Amino acid sequence: MEKTRFRVRLVRPVFEYVDVEVEAGEEYEAVSAALAGADTIPADEWRGNFASEKYGVDVVCAMEATGDDEEIFTEITGEKKYLLLKADPDSGEGEVVYQPWIGGVSDLMLADLCADWAGELAEAEEAGVAGFYDWAERHARFLKDGLAKVIPLRRPRVEEE
């Protein structure tokens, strides 16, 4: 079987952070001031990287390689966008972190995207709830029935010759 060359564009999330101090009267004012000044923070002040043990890699596009064209993905560079979901796995709290690109999307397209995201998140939620109920049922059965009775099996003795 003859093999064909493909070029695949992969994307991985890189999360950077910087600690800043602001003067404000209330917490919400401090948050607003920090966000407003984020664009003025020099790039070399930001810290962070890709955490491979916590985040996956996404395939943006795959296409057959034709020649040595280095700019094969030029026409699709800006097509894919990402929305962030922020989670606190300890408390179970989560929220959507909206991105600036959403402001340029039509209302109808945003509704379509949200329906797709909501459907996939609903499936994950249902799987999580089902897994929890399975665990709770097993645990409840254990509490109701008590410890299992363990009867040791005795092996027949082999007589030595």
Side-chain angles (χ1 to χ4, degrees):
M1 177 177 171
E2 186 177 329
K3 297 206 178 200
T4 305
R5 287 184 1 177
F6 288 87
R7 291 199 180 142
V8 180
R9 173 160 289 174
L10 303 175
V11 176
R12 65 183 193 179
V14 175
F15 293 98
E16 296 181 312
Y17 64 92
V18 65
D19 298 320
V20 297
E21 287 187 17
V22 295
E23 291 183 2
E26 299 281 335
E27 182 179 336
Y28 75 91
E29 292 173 350
V31 169
S32 294
L35 288 172
D39 290 342
T40 65
I41 300 169
D44 62 349
E45 294 290 323
W46 291 87
R47 301 286 178 257
N49 57 23
F50 173 65
S52 61
E53 69 281 357
K54 295 181 181 177
Y55 298 96
V57 175
D58 184 43
V59 175
V60 175
C61 183
M63 58 179 51
E64 191 173 328
T66 56
D68 293 328
D69 185 9
E70 291 294 322
E71 300 298 320
I72 193 168
F73 295 115
T74 304
E75 71 250 16
I76 60 153
T77 299
E79 289 184 16
K80 304 293 183 185
K81 306 289 186 220
Y82 291 83
L83 181 71
L84 296 175
L85 299 177
K86 183 166 66 172
D88 182 342
D90 294 328
S91 69
E93 297 294 319
E95 62 186 271
V96 177
V97 181
Y98 290 98
Q99 301 302 305
W101 64 263
I102 287 182
V105 174
S106 73
D107 293 341
L108 181 59
M109 184 57 68
L110 183 58
D112 185 39
L113 291 169
C114 288
D116 291 345
W117 294 329
E120 288 194 31
L121 290 172
E123 288 176 15
E125 177 191 21
E126 289 171 13
V129 168
F132 173 76
Y133 281 127
D134 288 347
W135 171 85
E137 186 177 295
R138 287 191 309 275
H139 185 69
R141 197 175 317 124
F142 170 77
L143 293 176
K144 179 181 147 199
D145 298 340
L147 294 173
K149 294 180 183 173
V150 177
I151 303 169
L153 297 176
R154 298 185 193 268
R155 293 184 174 178
R157 291 190 173 194
V158 177
E159 294 182 26
E160 294 181 21
E161 292 181 26

